[in-house]
Amino acid sequence: MKLKTIPDEFIRATGTLKEIQAHGFEAYFVGGSVRDALLNQSIHDVDIATSAYPEEIKQIFHRTIDVGIDHGTVLVLDGEEQYEITTFRTESAYQDFRRPDKVTFVRSLKEDLKRRDFTINALAMDVEGNIIDLFDGMDDLKRQIIRAVGNPKERFHEDALRMMRGLRFASQLDFSIETKTLEAIEAFHSLLDKISVERIAIEFIKLLLGKNRRKALLPFIETYCYQYCPGLKAYGKELLTFSELPNQRIDSQEQAWTLLIKSLNIPDHEIRSFLKAWKLSNHVIHEVQQHIYGLNQRLRGEWQPRDLFDLGLETALSVENLLFYFDRNSKLEETKACYEQLPIHDRKQLAVSGNELVTYFNKNLVNG
């Protein structure tokens, strides 16, 4: 198959591919960017795979950065653009279930593609827009299926994070996970215990923010992956309740964590420790706590001026949008109007400062 219209992101990178080819090497666009082009979705990062070894790439291009040279990746700076160029490679055993013990560079595109996680990500494209599909990824795109390349048990034993990635793709793309792939996730779910919380959190958030999170949450629960995610082990029933919320897309991770915490019925005094276990930043934790406070206030009644002042307009409106999930009507315009009627919107707008108040009251105490 040949892509009828080549996206601009690929056209801008064509010169880089042709330069590699001019030196006698193969070079292709690979992975998620090819998948997204075929799905007519926006492209974020253009990745290039080549038969050239890292040192050969560095000889071809003068402006490079060794971003992952041990694994064959060199960042090439081309004008204002930059591209990660990775040598075709095979990988040995994965003793830590995340990183290969040894990477071997090869000259074969097929050897490189067969080590990838899912068929829809094992696609390549040349500069003319011709698609190289060695594992029926195109068919899986048409069928809207997430299927591991080759033996799914081998793929997940190599890199356990692929299980969360598969679930995340189900949500983001609104695809179903193929039966054998799903069975392998259930068989190897405990290997998630070997993966860092930070990496799991990235995939989990993307899962929650996908177009059809229910399509991922149900297998996430049914395969017991949730038991190896921070703070979720005892909440299987509550996660099912969470999955039954209206399946409308969630706008932000703060909203996602708020809805999850409400569904799990986590007490207020345990919310911070729950979010800390996910290794979230203090800023995100604060924003989630603000959302939960605001949501509780709105579920009880109308906004009070002090609530709007403390939360700010952006957070208050974000909370309003969460009322949909609780079968309540949001009042966006009323909230904006009430906020605008506040005498001040920031403590810096006060006519007197805290120091002036302290000085005033201390003076009165002395005189009194």
Side-chain angles (χ1 to χ4, degrees), residues 228-268:
Y228 291 87
C229 294
L232 297 184
K233 189 171 185 177
Y235 288 104
K237 181 179 178 182
E238 289 80 2
L239 283 169
L240 282 172
T241 300
F242 177 57
S243 73
E244 292 168 359
L245 288 177
N247 208 23
Q248 177 172 297
R249 195 165 194 164
I250 300 172
D251 293 330
S252 69
Q253 71 161 317
E254 290 80 11
Q255 289 183 336
W257 287 114
T258 299
L259 290 173
L260 177 64
I261 286 168
K262 287 293 291 183
S263 296
L264 300 184
N265 293 315
I266 295 177
D268 288 348

Side-chain angles (χ1 to χ4, degrees), residues 286-332:
H286 173 72
E287 289 300 313
V288 174
Q289 289 177 313
Q290 292 283 83
H291 273 71
I292 291 173
Y293 170 80
L295 181 59
N296 287 336
Q297 295 297 97
R298 279 295 282 118
L299 290 175
R300 283 194 291 264
E302 302 299 325
W303 288 118
Q304 298 301 311
R306 179 59 187 266
D307 296 330
L308 294 175
F309 176 79
D310 288 340
L311 296 178
L313 181 60
E314 183 178 348
T315 300
L317 293 177
S318 181
V319 168
E320 283 294 319
N321 285 321
L322 289 179
L323 294 177
F324 164 82
Y325 297 95
F326 299 90
D327 198 26
R328 304 284 185 91
N329 293 323
S330 61
K331 297 181 178 179
L332 298 174

Side-chain angles (χ1 to χ4, degrees), residues 143-247:
R143 296 164 56 211
Q144 299 185 326
I145 292 292
I146 306 295
R147 180 168 60 90
V149 174
N151 186 331
K153 291 185 178 180
E154 291 180 3
R155 297 293 82 76
F156 299 145
H157 194 272
E158 290 167 351
D159 183 353
L161 187 65
R162 287 171 173 168
M163 295 184 284
M164 288 297 297
R165 281 171 56 80
L167 293 164
R168 180 253 289 188
F169 285 129
S171 173
Q172 284 187 322
L173 302 176
D174 191 10
F175 281 16
S176 298
I177 301 177
E178 179 261 345
T179 301
K180 289 185 178 179
T181 301
L182 192 63
E183 290 173 351
I185 293 176
E186 183 172 0
F188 284 92
H189 70 273
S190 63
L191 293 182
L192 288 175
D193 193 43
K194 308 291 184 180
I195 304 300
S196 71
V197 170
E198 291 89 346
R199 288 184 177 274
I200 291 176
I202 289 171
E203 301 299 331
F204 187 60
I205 282 296
K206 290 178 179 179
L207 182 162
L208 296 183
L209 298 180
K211 69 170 69 173
N212 190 344
R213 65 183 178 280
R214 185 176 296 160
K215 217 157 195 176
L217 281 170
L218 290 177
F220 174 70
I221 299 165
E222 292 165 356
T223 60
Y224 304 103
C225 285
Y226 75 93
Q227 294 190 357
Y228 291 87
C229 294
L232 297 184
K233 189 171 185 177
Y235 288 104
K237 181 179 178 182
E238 289 80 2
L239 283 169
L240 282 172
T241 300
F242 177 57
S243 73
E244 292 168 359
L245 288 177
N247 208 23

